[in-house]
Amino acid sequence: MKSTERQRVIVERLMAAPRVGVAELVTATGASDMTVRRDLDYLAAQGVLKRVHGGAVAAMPSGVEPPFAARATADLGPKRAIARAAVAHLKDGETIVLDSGTTALEVAKLLRDRAVTVMPLSLQVAQELIDAPRVRLLLPGGEPRAGELALVGPLTLASLRALRFDVAVLSPCAFSLDAGMTAFDLGDAEVKQQAMAVATRSMVLADGAKWDRSALAYICPADRPELIITDSTAPEETRTLLAQRGVLVEVAEPTLEGLS
């Protein structure tokens, strides 16, 4: 396969998935490991992708957020597995501040029959819990962001400051050792910071597609949360380094039920 053909395969795969690995590209192109790495380095120099450990991610601008509707149906297996693992760490009677985002929405679906108190940080999540029979639902004030319906602004921050929670369940837009937890929207980052400040413990949900990436707005250092739940596509080296810093990193595996 010629270099131009190999590079076309790489670009097509990055258009279909946010991350590609060297091993899968070797299989897809029939080229050697070294040849694939040279192709990735060439495309990175052209600004097409960003090299990460073991592969590459698409070079999406850090200020551009994919639409909620598109994210809601992407990688559902890992998101549902992460949500199940997160709910397993939540106890009946606890007070929870639940972030915006598609993985948080999957968590909300699993909390419907739990005896918990929840303050959702988006109208999407609030709608999922509005008629949950055992959930005590606390609605914050704030301004819903267009498309996302995540709540931001002074009223949301004031609502959070008035309360104390057992746990903050957060889902950042991007995550890396160097950049920490980041978000696409400045207001969203501020809300996430405040949620962590008013909770006794914090749990971060970040599927592998979010690792080794950064977005515009800084939230906190990578080792700030006590627990990070991810899937097996998250880079193992980064997971190991986080564990060495005292962060519990849990890998959730999708089930056949979660993939449907």
Side-chain angles (χ1 to χ4, degrees):
M1 187 180 290
K2 296 179 180 179
S3 61
T4 53
E5 294 174 339
R6 292 194 307 271
Q7 290 160 16
R8 176 181 55 78
V9 170
I10 293 170
V11 172
E12 287 177 350
R13 291 200 166 224
L14 275 174
M15 290 175 66
R19 181 187 180 97
V20 293
V22 170
E24 68 177 277
L25 293 174
V26 167
T27 301
T29 63
S32 68
D33 182 286
M34 184 176 297
T35 298
V36 166
R37 291 180 186 277
R38 282 201 299 265
D39 286 334
L40 291 176
D41 290 340
Y42 172 80
L43 291 171
Q46 305 304 309
V48 174
L49 54 81
K50 177 184 175 184
R51 291 286 271 117
V52 296
H53 179 74
V57 296
M60 179 179 291
S62 63
V64 178
E65 184 170 25
F68 185 94
R71 302 192 332 264
T73 56
D75 299 320
L76 272 180
K79 289 176 184 177
R80 288 172 176 168
I82 290 169
R84 284 194 301 274
V87 169
H89 287 276
L90 302 174
K91 303 173 184 176
D92 283 356
E94 285 195 310
T95 55
I96 304 159
V97 53
L98 182 54
D99 205 358
S100 58
T102 55
T103 308
L105 183 59
E106 295 300 323
V107 171
K109 293 175 182 178
L110 297 176
L111 287 177
R112 287 182 54 83
D113 294 321
R114 295 286 299 274
V116 290
T117 298
V118 181
M119 177 179 278
L121 297 178
S122 85
L123 298 183
Q124 307 271 17
V125 175
Q127 180 64 36
E128 182 62 40
L129 295 173
I130 197 72
D131 61 347
R134 302 180 67 201
V135 174
R136 181 187 182 193
L137 189 62
L138 304 179
L139 296 179
E143 179 180 357
R145 291 173 53 212
E148 286 293 303
L149 300 185
L151 294 163
V152 296
L155 292 177
T156 309
L157 296 173
S159 297
L160 287 168
R161 292 187 186 113
L163 299 169
R164 293 296 179 270
F165 296 89
D166 292 311
V167 56
V169 181
L170 301 176
S171 183
C173 302
F175 180 85
S176 76
L177 280 178
D178 294 334
M181 283 173 49
T182 51
F184 289 103
D185 182 80
L186 294 170
D188 187 41
E190 191 174 21
V191 167
K192 286 172 167 56
Q193 288 174 342
Q194 189 60 57
M196 295 182 80
V198 298
T200 301
R201 70 184 195 276
S202 56
M203 182 190 311
V204 166
L205 316 180
D207 60 76
K210 296 179 178 180
W211 287 60
D212 288 340
R213 306 187 76 169
S214 63
L216 174 68
Y218 176 77
I219 300 169
C220 71
D223 56 3
R224 166 65 174 80
E226 289 81 9
L227 170 64
I228 298 174
I229 304 178
T230 186
D231 62 82
S232 59
T233 65
E236 186 174 357
E237 182 181 7
T238 308
R239 284 187 266 146
T240 300
L241 290 171
L242 279 169
Q244 291 172 355
R245 296 185 186 184
V247 180
L248 177 61
V249 181
E250 181 174 337
V251 177
E253 295 294 346
T255 63
L256 291 177
E257 180 182 355
L259 292 170
S260 62

